Amino acid sequence: MSLSLYNTATRSIETFKAITAGKVGIYLCGATVQAEPHIGHIRSGVNFDILRRWLIHSGYDVCFIRNVTDIDDKILHKAVHENSPWWAVAMKYERAFTEAYRALNVMPPTYEPRATGHITQMIALIERLVERGYAYAPGNGDLYLEVRKLASYLTLSGQKLDDLLPAGDADESMKRDPRDFALWKGSKPGEPSWPTPWGDGRPGWHLECSAMAHAYLGEEFDIHGGGLDLIFPHHENEIAQSQAAGYGFARVWMHNAWVTASGEKMSKSLGNSLIVREILKRVRGIELRWYLGSAHYRSMLEFSFEALEESAIAFRRIESFLQRAAEYGEVKPAISGEFKAAMDDDLAVPAVLALISGWLRAGNTAISEANTSAICDAASKIRGALEVLGCDPFDAAFTADQASVSSNKKEVLDGLIAGLLQEREEARARKDFASADRIRDRISSLGITIEDTASGPRWSIS
RNA sequence: GGUGGAGUGGCCGAGAGGCGAGGCUCGGGACUGCAAAUCCCGCUACACGGGUUCAAAUCCCGUCUCCACCUCCA
């Protein structure tokens, strides 16, 4: 069985076939860095990170491009609002995104191109579009793409040109058709601009992705991803620009659904509490990742703090098993056939969660029976799955924080608690349960949980 | 107006003609001095009305409700 993925362009699940055997080129629309990342932004990052990890595990050499759009209307507005240069605003939020990606163990892209670094490529693309007769400069400094000349325009979103409302992104009177969109915008006083053969100006919103995808992935590449809300206009316009230039562009289009709050798309009911940085005050990065990755990428994820907390507790159960299992022997992550089948089926992560539940139950039973091979078997399968999901608790990305607590401090703590536990065991042995419970209460009041197991008591920080 | 999606048990969340995903909560039980952890059992759901079929959550027709996109969107 091989990998199948849902292609928005054909609205069906197709067997994935790389253009070049063994290699996959992916372009993911990254952030327009104009505000702090919220969990919707980062869900997209996590979903496509899972795709990337699965492709890597499947043996592909993956070239993953995720852009940063660092020049755009909203950034300019924000700059005025924050009373700071537009480039400082863009940099500030780009850092916030990078930090959020890092906290959630999203692999850094192979390359992360910024729009402002690719003005040359954008101008070259426009020149090509003008030459081929698809773009025109009406003389007001703007350049537009003439969408009516493209037979395939709007095939991704399945709309008809005449049903669309006119684009409101520029002076209507200069357009040949109100649906034509701006490739390039003539400069206005006080705004950043770059020189072009048609006068100074700045890029329109969609151009950068076409230009950068072409620069790093070539005329035709395997997968283009992004949020559902980018299908129109952003991705339609990318296709329009690229195909008008004569490029094949993306073969497979993948879109992640958004995070909703009370049934509504999150950006509508924006709350500061849904900013990644704020959520990370409540749960760890690995737990937030587990939560965001747990629903199928094409399903809406209805956010609530209750669901987040519940999901985090479920994850800690898995983590706790793996920690115990590690005491029985070396656990090597392994990919089971069932796991592979689920992932190959358009990344059926929810099915994977059901598999993990089964392995977890078997593993816990094996621990109570001290069946080392069964313990390691369950733990291996779970770790193999978690690795692909980017949620392996032993991943250095997550252990780095804990490692900063120096190991000799840990030894001191272990020694102190071991002493107390020994006292408690002695009390229990002489059936002095009052004293035993007093010791346990004292330890747990410090936030340490005591569990009595067949092989003696174990402690953990709760 | 156009286009697309959704409605599943107390909650979250899969599935897409047959033999009830899974998790959480709740109830019962095992283990335990008591806890904790863990395991076992239980709680039989698919918006509504028709239809097709031996068989429908799944297909068809109709209806209701909600959400999204139609040039700021992940």
Side-chain angles (χ1 to χ4, degrees):
Chain A
M1 185 176 165
S2 60
L3 177 64
S4 295
L5 296 171
Y6 182 85
N7 186 354
T8 308
T10 58
R11 301 198 189 275
S12 61
I13 291 177
E14 302 170 349
T15 301
F16 176 73
K17 195 170 181 303
I19 294 172
T20 307
K23 293 190 177 201
V24 180
I26 303 180
Y27 187 93
L28 174 64
C29 284
T32 297
V33 283
Q34 45 94 13
E36 287 265 344
H38 57 61
I39 55 174
H41 294 124
I42 213 76
R43 180 191 184 187
S44 181
V46 168
N47 284 160
F48 283 98
D49 191 53
I50 291 171
L51 168 67
R52 182 183 181 187
R53 286 169 188 263
W54 182 236
L55 287 169
I56 292 171
H57 270 265
S58 303
Y60 289 101
D61 176 9
V62 180
C63 180
F64 193 94
I65 305 296
R66 187 186 64 212
N67 70 291
V68 173
T69 296
D70 60 347
I71 177 73
D72 138 281
D73 291 352
K74 275 198 147 181
I75 295 171
L76 298 179
H77 291 156
K78 195 84 172 200
V80 172
H81 203 73
E82 295 192 359
N83 193 27
S84 110
W86 65 272
W87 37 266
V89 169
M91 192 75 246
K92 172 173 139 189
Y93 294 121
E94 183 182 324
R95 278 199 201 96
F97 270 86
T98 301
E99 176 52 27
Y101 287 130
R102 193 203 60 77
L104 295 226
N105 195 24
V106 173
M107 292 171 73
T110 310
Y111 189 58
E112 190 165 20
R114 293 192 188 118
T116 53
H118 297 77
I119 301 291
T120 308
Q121 288 86 342
M122 292 188 216
I123 292 171
L125 179 58
I126 297 174
E127 279 178 328
R128 189 176 167 94
L129 292 172
V130 171
E131 271 166 32
R132 292 170 68 96
Y134 289 100
Y136 60 96
N140 62 346
D142 291 357
L143 278 107
Y144 303 108
L145 192 83
E146 196 165 1
V147 294
R148 207 167 278 277
K149 283 196 170 169
L150 290 158
S152 62
Y153 191 52
L154 302 181
T155 49
L156 187 63
S157 58
Q159 297 177 97
K160 293 198 184 84
L161 190 59
D162 293 314
D163 294 336
L164 291 186
L165 305 169
D169 65 346
D171 183 4
E172 296 305 302
S173 62
M174 305 302 279
K175 292 183 179 178
R176 293 185 186 164
D177 185 290
R179 269 73 48 133
D180 290 349
F181 63 90
L183 296 165
W184 191 262
K185 299 181 176 193
S187 69
K188 296 196 183 75
E191 283 186 355
S193 70
W194 289 262
T196 76
W198 314 279
D200 291 355
R202 63 184 174 88
W205 173 32
H206 318 291
L207 191 67
E208 82 281 17
C209 286
S210 294
M212 296 189 289
H214 180 237
Y216 300 104
L217 296 171
E219 295 188 7
E220 188 175 27
F221 55 93
D222 297 292
I223 300 172
H224 191 129
L228 210 49
D229 41 8
L230 293 180
I231 292 175
F232 185 87
H234 188 56
H235 289 163
E236 288 288 9
N237 290 353
E238 281 186 49
I239 293 170
Q241 291 158 353
S242 302
Q243 294 190 342
Y247 305 145
F249 211 49
R251 285 241 182 126
V252 179
W253 286 86
M254 293 179 69
H255 294 94
N256 66 282
W258 40 69
V259 178
T260 56
S262 313
E264 290 194 331
K265 190 181 172 189
M266 227 186 58
S267 50
K268 299 265 166 170
S269 51
L270 264 179
N272 282 339
S273 53
L274 298 184
I275 298 292
V276 173
R277 205 158 35 83
E278 292 300 316
I279 304 268
L280 288 178
K281 291 176 182 169
R282 291 182 174 232
V283 295
R284 294 173 299 153
I286 195 171
E287 291 163 350
L288 178 55
R289 181 176 173 119
W290 176 254
Y291 174 66
L292 291 176
S294 65
H296 187 89
Y297 75 92
R298 285 190 285 120
S299 297
M300 311 269 177
L301 177 65
E302 170 65 18
F303 178 84
S304 73
F305 284 105
E306 292 73 21
L308 173 66
E309 192 54 42
E310 180 187 291
S311 166
I313 289 168
F315 183 74
R316 284 174 214 147
R317 257 187 96 219
I318 298 168
E319 213 175 8
S320 153
F321 164 69
L322 289 178
Q323 271 153 8
R324 286 164 205 231
E327 293 164 14
Y328 287 84
E330 198 199 351
V331 173
K332 292 181 89 173
I335 300 293
S336 77
E338 296 157 290
F339 173 72
K340 176 174 165 25
M343 290 303 285
D344 275 346
D345 180 16
D346 195 30
L347 310 178
V349 175
V352 170
L353 303 195
L355 290 174
I356 291 176
S357 293
W359 296 329
L360 182 62
R361 205 176 312 119
N364 277 322
T365 301
I367 284 184
S368 65
E369 292 163 356
N371 181 342
T372 308
S373 71
I375 294 168
C376 291
D377 180 57
S380 295
K381 286 174 177 165
I382 293 174
R383 275 198 67 192
L386 292 188
E387 213 173 60
V388 173
L389 299 179
C391 288
D392 183 354
F394 297 99
D395 190 318
F398 296 119
T399 54
D401 296 340
Q402 292 153 23
S404 64
V405 178
S406 69
S407 59
N408 59 350
K409 265 184 201 162
K410 228 175 243 171
E411 269 170 42
V412 170
L413 190 60
D414 194 45
L416 282 172
I417 294 170
L420 287 165
L421 287 179
Q422 199 189 333
E423 249 178 71
R424 175 166 170 270
E425 286 309 289
E426 283 160 14
R428 290 180 72 203
R430 61 176 186 267
K431 304 218 184 299
D432 177 6
F433 297 117
S435 301
D437 289 350
R438 208 179 308 121
I439 293 167
R440 183 171 62 195
D441 290 346
R442 206 194 313 156
I443 298 174
S444 56
S445 71
L446 298 170
I448 288 160
T449 304
I450 304 301
E451 292 165 30
D452 294 325
T453 73
S455 54
R458 65 197 304 283
W459 65 271
S460 56
I461 296 173
S462 45

